[in-house]
Amino acid sequence: MSVEDVLSRGAHLLTVEVRLLWAVGILYMVAAILSLYGLITATHRSGRMPHAILGFTLILHTGVILLRIFETGRAPFQTLYESLSWFSFTSAVTYLFVSKRWRRVGLPCFFVTLIASCAIFYALLGRSPEAKPLSPPLQSWWFEWHVVVAFSSYAVFVVSSAFEATYLIAKRLLKTRDYALGLAPEELKPFRTMATKLVIFGFPMLTFGIFSGAAWANEAWGRYWGWDPKETWSLITWTVFAMYLHAQSVPRWRENVASTLNLLGFVCMIMTFLGVNWLSKLLGIPSLHAYAV
Amino acid sequence: MRRAENIKRRVYRWFSSIKTSVYLFALLVVFYFIGTIFPQGADIERYAEAGGRFVEAVRLFGFLDIFHTPLFYLVAVLLLINLSVCTWDRFQRVRKRAWRESPDVERRLSLALSYRETEELLEEFIKKQRFRLISRDEDTLTAEKGIYYRYLTLLYHAGIVLCFAGFFLTGLFVKEGLLILKQGEPTPIESQMMPEVRGWLAPEEPPQFKIQLDEFRTEYILSRKLNYPEDGLSRLAIALGWQDITYTEEERFYPKDWFSKLRILVNGSTALEKTIEVNDPLRFEGYTFYQVGFEEKLKLKINDKVFTISTGRKKNIEELGKTLIFTGFRKGTLFKPDGTVEQIRPFVTLKELKEDGTRITLGRLHLGESMEIDGKSLRFEGFEETSILSYRYDPGVGLLWYAGFFVFAVMSLRCLGRWYMLRFRIDEDEGGKTILTVAIHCRGLMADSQRVSALLNTHLERYVRR
């Protein structure tokens, strides 16, 4: 095979890309298993390995995304296959960035890498990697920003909910112990603050995601809001996180109510991302977003 | 009188409460959820016929049009009142700075300096670190850096109120419909395929101008179908290197773009000309025209009998005793993977629909050519093309965009930006020394109270008594 053949954007590059993505999915899963092992054996040293693997996987994953950009000649977010890959990439990057102070706390690493690997395997086993040309409505500046910002906010919320869930479990365990899940009682508050900070960071991004989606719909179809199920679910997610941020201002709701809302926001986000298409198909609800499947 | 005052105060307190906002948000989430479960805009009779559940409840509560029910409007209006009252209430308090901020860092230091010297040293620090001195009481200095975050919070909440105003204007004055344009025919702005969606105060008369289609063209990209297995095991085999992904020889024409060359006519003379495409509409006198699609009608001939059919439709051809489907009509410009561009010889793909529902591809029929089917000749005589536009008149959308962008920008500044407030209390100690109490407040993801504390430490280090 000549160099021209390889670079002719044919199936050879796609085969390489798909195989590399399999490797990425497997490595995320290995990081998740090692995090779990660290949790079970409660050895701090075992916490370093998942982070090292995660760092290496991210380098590989960056390569896969760059390869995809080279193959398609556009930003890699058009299909659900591409979006899932981007979602797991941004989740892992966000986690690695914010977890510097909390390397010995293995549970958030387990949650994030598990979700990242599940997203990759769903992309590989459930979707097609075919790189179709962009359909006319997707050829918009708003589209790229809408998807990249919305999915980045989802990634931030995934990491936030992983921290929140760890906080809730550790808080319960610390009632009977002096040390749980790599956390001492006095570390609980700053650990939980990280979950709140992530929501504060992700919320304006989600706001822009919805705003840019409306602007794009207005330019493409002449209607900025159509109560389409995907639009509505993104609004549900936004509203739940708005409730979370407001609950932080009410002293009695700052603890359990706010934590529950953060986790509920995560569920709604998953519904926006994957559930809407499934729900729309199941109930026969027409959705403009169906083309993204 | 006292009772009325009491009620007024209670109502104000209820509307200015954050708890009320959370309850109203929760109610809205319930409405949104219902809206994603039940098909919006569907007819209740058809819903019942299709085996829909809870028909009576659906009819009673208007679940098939939940976002236009009085209950939904009521909750939305209550939220708007809550938002406005909250914003006003906070504005009053922010103006007076009537908040008790709990400090992020609080420290007490004993300094080997006199009251005056301590004051000078702190002023020097405030100046050096570019803080603003905002108040100086008898024994307290207060300095600030960055935009006071509560102003930003107020501003973006006010921006959300403006967004609501935009929605309200849309609800009052919006006009929306679909137009089918044939080449060369001036068409009035009256919805053709669906009844015009009209706001409560939108004028009923169409505008004085007309629109005309001068040319319609399409562009396609040539690609091949990917041979990618559906089952997980075969996909795993690709991962393990036992199989490769390949492209089939089957050609596919993916739409690249559609263009309509339009002309706006006022009293018969041209006022504006523009070629529009998807994502690039035409705007004139508050109306916006969007390219949403196109339709082709094919003219075919069999045994000297001519018939017309829309693309994608099936037709029982009596002469053949078969049901045919005419799909994938293609004409216009074709962009090939090798970078070359060519004009497509117009063609339609013919499929035979069998009784068991299976479709058998018979082949491509080009314009001006015939296809032999069971010894009979089917000829493609011609086609007629129409461009489908949607139009919208919406005076609320401009306000919504400006307010929405403002909300996003201010919210980002509030969340990411830095705000610090330093409060120094100086108390004289015995022997001409001073006790300094430092309170550091900060907000925003970029703010770092420990850093400011460390800088202050360095500044005071020489004078601190251990």
Side-chain angles (χ1 to χ4, degrees), chain B residues 182-309:
Chain B
K182 282 184 188 169
Q183 209 164 310
E185 283 183 16
T187 310
I189 316 305
E190 287 168 353
S191 190
Q192 293 175 30
M193 288 166 82
M194 56 175 243
E196 189 175 67
V197 175
R198 209 175 289 148
W200 296 331
L201 297 178
E204 283 186 24
E205 311 76 46
Q208 293 302 305
F209 61 86
K210 289 182 177 178
I211 192 163
Q212 182 179 304
L213 175 73
D214 283 345
E215 188 194 355
F216 180 77
R217 60 192 167 87
T218 48
E219 288 180 352
Y220 292 91
I221 296 173
L222 182 67
S223 187
R224 280 176 295 154
K225 193 186 169 192
L226 192 73
N227 188 12
Y228 191 67
E230 288 293 322
D231 64 300
L233 276 178
S234 303
R235 291 184 177 191
L236 196 62
I238 290 170
L240 294 169
W242 298 340
Q243 267 184 45
D244 279 340
I245 303 171
T246 52
Y247 281 104
T248 62
E249 288 306 309
E250 188 185 324
E251 285 183 342
R252 282 192 172 184
F253 288 57
Y254 288 100
K256 185 172 182 285
D257 217 339
W258 316 303
F259 302 89
S260 289
K261 192 178 174 193
L262 299 174
R263 182 193 297 265
I264 298 284
L265 299 165
V266 181
N267 299 327
S269 56
T270 303
L272 183 71
E273 275 182 299
K274 186 182 175 184
T275 302
I276 67 163
E277 57 187 297
V278 183
N279 284 315
D280 184 18
L282 177 149
R283 292 185 171 89
F284 186 74
E285 287 189 355
Y287 280 80
T288 312
F289 298 90
Y290 303 88
Q291 179 74 66
V292 290
F294 55 93
E295 196 178 47
E296 300 108 347
K297 279 191 178 146
L298 311 176
K299 197 170 153 192
L300 296 122
K301 193 164 131 184
I302 188 161
N303 284 357
D304 294 329
K305 187 184 164 189
V306 177
F307 63 92
T308 56
I309 185 166

Side-chain angles (χ1 to χ4, degrees), chain A residues 19 127 218-219 222-223 285, chain B residues 36 176 238 243 290 392:
Chain A
R19 282 176 190 155
R127 319 303 315 173
N218 192 58
E219 282 297 289
R223 188 186 260 199
I285 302 169
Chain B
T36 63
E176 188 181 291
I238 290 170
Q243 267 184 45
Y290 303 88
R392 191 173 170 89

Side-chain angles (χ1 to χ4, degrees), chain B residues 102-150:
Chain B
S102 54
D104 297 273
V105 176
E106 196 164 27
R107 299 174 58 202
R108 234 165 157 241
L109 303 164
S110 178
L111 301 179
L113 293 170
S114 68
Y115 185 94
R116 185 72 207 127
E117 285 168 333
T118 307
E119 208 175 36
E120 279 173 10
L121 195 66
L122 292 176
E123 279 173 4
E124 190 186 305
F125 178 79
I126 287 167
K127 205 172 168 188
K128 193 177 163 190
Q129 297 303 325
R130 295 180 181 177
F131 275 76
R132 297 183 302 277
L133 191 65
I134 55 170
S135 76
R136 180 200 288 266
D137 295 337
E138 213 169 278
D139 54 2
T140 310
L141 286 177
T142 309
E144 194 181 44
K145 192 175 178 178
I147 306 169
Y148 186 33
Y149 74 97
R150 288 194 188 275

Side-chain angles (χ1 to χ4, degrees), chain A residues 124-256:
Chain A
L124 288 164
L125 294 168
R127 319 303 315 173
S128 168
E130 188 169 12
K132 293 175 186 169
L134 280 179
S135 65
L138 302 186
Q139 295 165 25
S140 163
W141 179 89
W142 284 113
F143 163 67
E144 287 184 12
W145 283 103
H146 165 64
V147 182
V148 77
V149 176
F151 275 83
S152 302
S153 73
Y154 292 163
V156 172
F157 293 140
V158 163
V159 181
S160 173
S161 61
F163 272 71
E164 194 78 59
T166 309
Y167 162 78
L168 285 175
I169 297 167
K171 195 170 90 168
R172 206 176 174 84
L173 293 174
L174 283 170
K175 282 180 182 166
T176 52
R177 297 181 207 176
D178 293 335
Y179 196 77
L181 304 175
L183 286 165
E186 66 274 12
E187 289 175 314
L188 265 184
K189 202 183 162 197
F191 186 77
R192 207 265 176 124
T193 305
M194 185 53 82
T196 310
K197 280 185 170 179
L198 283 165
V199 175
I200 292 172
F201 182 69
F203 192 70
M205 287 205 287
L206 182 64
T207 308
F208 182 77
I210 294 173
F211 177 71
S212 54
W216 171 35
N218 192 58
E219 282 297 289
W221 296 287
R223 188 186 260 199
Y224 57 80
W225 199 264
W227 293 113
D228 172 75
K230 191 139 188 147
E231 285 172 348
T232 313
W233 268 109
S234 70
L235 195 60
I236 292 175
T237 308
W238 187 90
T239 312
V240 170
F241 281 116
M243 284 164 75
Y244 168 80
L245 292 174
H246 283 83
Q248 296 281 357
S249 313
V250 182
R252 283 181 63 191
W253 290 355
R254 206 167 279 163
E255 283 291 314
N256 294 343

